[in-house]
Amino acid sequence: MYPEYMMESIKMVEKTRPKRVEIAKIGKPVVEPMKLKEREEILNRFHPDYKADARRVLRIGPNKGEKLTTKVSELLESHSRISPDDIDLSNVDYDVDVLIIGGGGGGSMAAIWAQKQGVKVLISTKLRIGDANSMMSQGGMQAAVNPHDNPIIHYLDAIGGGHFDNKPELVETLTMDAPMIAKYLEELGVMWDKEEDGVLVTKAGGGTSRRRMLSCRDYTGVEIMRTLRDEVKNHPEDIYVLEYTPAIELIMDNKDQVAGALLYQTETEEYVVVRAKTTIITTGGYGRLHIQGFATTNHYGATADGLVMAYRAGAKLLYLDSVQYHPTGAIFPEQILGFLVTEKVRGLGGQPVNKFGELFVFPLEPRDVEASAFIRECTEREKGITTPAGRAGIWLDSPIIDILSGPGTIQKNLPAMVRQYHRFEIDISKYPMLVFPTLHYQNGGIEINEKGETTIPNLYAAGETSGGLHGRNRLMGNSILDYNVFGRRAALHASEKAKTVKLGKLHLDHVRNYEKELKESGIETKRIAPILLPDYRNFEVIRKHRKEFDPFLGGGITGWYEEE
Amino acid sequence: MESDQKLIPVYIMGEKVMVPEGSTIIDALEYAGFQLKKGIGCREGFCGACATVYRLPGDFKLIGGLACQTVVEPGMYLAQIPCTPAQKATYNIEKENPDVSSFLKLYPEVFRCVSCNTCTKICPQEIEVMDYVNAIIRGDIAEAADLSFDCIMCGLCTMRCPAEMAQYNIALLARRLFGRYLTKRSDYLYERLKDIADGKFDKEMKNIKQLSREGLEKRYKERDLDFDIT
């Protein structure tokens, strides 16, 4: 429940609500959307990417000399986890056609489509298959499937949202393949939200000029991911899933092609050599790097492992100077700090308001613009609400949804959100949610073309780890679509290629060379990457406690603890 | 972590550890020096990877929950579970029937349900697990799909079931059958697919791809918005 002083502010939100309902009912934007020039201004002044130390020059590798997000530059200027001399590549543990690194949505979709081409597939993943950001997406998937919309409008929305930096051929592929993906997923058994007559329900999203978001209640990510995972497991004769065994370096051959990867079993601490004719990286993004100290909506495994491996092997990266902050991450209660409050809340009519209950921005600007407006409201304008932990946020007025579309709309469309807040005794159909931008998405990544090919032979990438499709800002609903469209595409082309590839002698010289380059550039660091698993331990604190408390108080686990 | 936080004792795999009050189990484990390699996932209650069981002082019951969503209590006895081994049938969705026959063939153990309701009681999503199992037994696939929709496949039901079935995999089959066979298809979607196959958008796509940045910005600005929320 909210503390008393927050309830005071909520009263003001309630007071302005009837008027805001009236405005919303007219059917026009409740606040005038920003012009391109206004967007540029607010981004320059308030978006975290534009801070002085947000970016720094990368000193080694194919993108040497470019300014990247500081944390990314640091990640890439790291040592390998291995010393190549210690690894015996002559002992190949698995010999497959297609190796897929990463068991999220992109990896699963790729595995299914590679299997259809008659090749043998191995998926390497650090946790279990399906343990990924794909599972967490709540809002939906864009696809121009209804008459008022079409792929051209989808194209415009996506490329405008990305500040016109998107690679056109990728956006074309995305938007033209989208309806086919919607149909394919339905045939797999995905339960899209539908009208009585079977028409797919579409909702608005930030930066979309049409209602284009397909959804599965607010478990869209779960529904698609669990279905894809089930389908992967329906093909044990062709797809081998190696869980808890992430890749740590790519393996090359003497023809300068990618030829598989070195894996690492996190429990037994063994190395596993996989030789593969083609390799697809689907390792997702970097939320767990906590760029600029931001909380994140991301999965525990989002440590950008694929970027590091691909870069060491010589693949080019694109647009890694731009980070997506989701406008609405929870900041109260403290236990759910950074939790994603789906954009669908605003798609359904939810409104962001300040501590006085005032609307201050069009609710569905592209994410970077919306997030910047929230930051401006909390900093320069000082109209945010401060939590007991000292964080400022703005109200996301959810109760207005039931007023606009009838009681029960929230429960029906946002069951996951309702459940999340209910755990902390907050009823979001009665009270607003307190939110602030949170680290959400890696806009750029390993550069790919419309076949999913990277800039080095036999290496493909798909999904959040790839770069170019979303330009410098992804729109809501284009990431689920991304991993499906490009997971499939990468699989089709990687499988085809695998049929003609002849591999030579395996080596890890690229790792040696990278270490050499680090040294020659004068980079002295103890950083090791890929990170694989984030580390939130604090031994100092726990050692201190051990000294302070009496282990005999309460009787230990054989007698139950009782409050002294 | 702030120094003035109130600390409470919990037992992690036997060791008594002081952790901040209000922490989730996952946060408490990390605070206590564990780097989790298994049994952890999205940390937002969406992926089911951190399903766990624990006991509380003075209570004989084994309690289940998601470690990322459950707040620690004094005296809690914790041990993180890596994963649930569960039966998963392999099948071809194109060849299954959306009725009880598929379950008889793929998951005959579902008919061993003794209606004890243990599954429902332990479900962290508060799903009526036993009710959907019974719906499947009755052949009501639509009901089972609807009731089980919020399942995040954490496996707690499966770990506790005296009939030893993997409810969450069985429910997934029900939903896939429902999604594929028992919902109406959108005519608009098939018209759109035909338009794309016929190349209806090809010319305009080609034009728009060749626009200069200025030309593209102009087109973008000129596009009309439609925000009727109803």
Side-chain angles (χ1 to χ4, degrees), chain A residues 144 149 157 163 172 187-188 194 211 217 226 230-231 234 267 300 419-420 545-546 553, chain B residues 15-16 31 36 38 44 69 88 91 125 146 151 176 180 183-184 192 209 213 223 230:
Chain A
D149 195 8
D157 285 345
H163 306 291
E172 176 189 16
E187 285 171 350
L188 278 187
K194 290 181 181 182
R211 299 187 332 192
R217 303 185 197 178
R226 68 192 175 193
D230 192 59
E231 189 57 23
N234 275 345
E267 192 74 36
Y300 184 66
R419 180 172 287 120
Q420 199 77 272
H545 292 337
R546 274 196 189 121
L553 254 186
Chain B
E15 189 187 7
K16 181 177 175 180
Y31 184 87
L36 295 163
K38 293 182 173 71
E44 294 196 5
Q69 297 292 306
K88 145 85 182 115
Y91 57 91
Q125 294 284 87
D146 183 52
C151 174
R176 289 190 64 183
R180 181 181 167 97
T183 62
K184 275 193 188 149
R192 176 58 39 81
K209 269 172 64 189
R213 194 180 174 104
R223 83 206 202 290
T230 49

Side-chain angles (χ1 to χ4, degrees), chain A residues 110-123:
Chain A
I112 294 167
W113 282 86
Q115 179 272 334
K116 283 173 186 282
Q117 314 311 311
V119 296
K120 296 286 182 195
V121 182
L122 188 144
I123 301 181

Side-chain angles (χ1 to χ4, degrees), chain B residues 184-227:
Chain B
K184 275 193 188 149
R185 298 288 172 94
S186 165
D187 293 338
Y188 293 143
L189 173 60
Y190 287 83
E191 284 164 25
R192 176 58 39 81
L193 288 165
K194 186 169 181 300
D195 287 347
I196 290 173
D198 292 348
K200 191 179 161 187
F201 305 107
D202 291 357
K203 201 171 149 213
E204 202 178 350
M205 189 61 87
K206 200 173 162 208
N207 289 338
I208 211 163
K209 269 172 64 189
Q210 286 167 349
L211 284 178
S212 64
R213 194 180 174 104
E214 290 70 32
L216 205 53
E217 282 189 21
K218 187 164 174 291
R219 277 291 299 268
Y220 183 68
K221 274 186 266 186
E222 284 169 4
R223 83 206 202 290
D224 59 326
L225 308 180
D226 171 13
F227 287 111

Side-chain angles (χ1 to χ4, degrees), chain B residues 1-55:
Chain B
M1 291 278 175
E2 292 162 38
S3 56
D4 57 351
Q5 271 173 319
K6 190 184 168 201
L7 301 172
I8 58 167
V10 297
Y11 298 98
I12 299 175
M13 290 181 275
E15 189 187 7
K16 181 177 175 180
V17 185
M18 302 299 284
V19 298
E21 187 177 36
S23 311
T24 62
I25 292 176
I26 292 285
D27 291 341
L29 289 168
E30 288 174 341
Y31 184 87
F34 290 86
Q35 186 190 27
L36 295 163
K37 296 178 179 176
K38 293 182 173 71
I40 184 162
C42 73
R43 307 171 77 113
E44 294 196 5
F46 274 92
C47 77
C50 66
T52 194
V53 287
Y54 58 89
R55 288 189 198 269

Side-chain angles (χ1 to χ4, degrees), chain A residues 166-215:
Chain A
N166 321 44
K167 283 175 84 168
E169 65 276 20
L170 297 183
V171 187
E172 176 189 16
T173 305
L174 183 85
T175 57
M176 294 288 269
D177 277 5
M180 175 270 293
I181 292 292
K183 171 174 169 278
Y184 173 71
L185 292 176
E186 182 173 50
E187 285 171 350
L188 278 187
V190 165
M191 287 168 57
W192 293 122
D193 292 335
K194 290 181 181 182
E195 308 286 359
E196 288 282 304
D197 56 1
V199 169
L200 292 156
V201 172
T202 45
K203 296 269 184 256
T208 68
S209 63
R210 293 289 183 279
R211 299 187 332 192
R212 187 183 300 126
M213 214 69 60
L214 310 185
S215 55

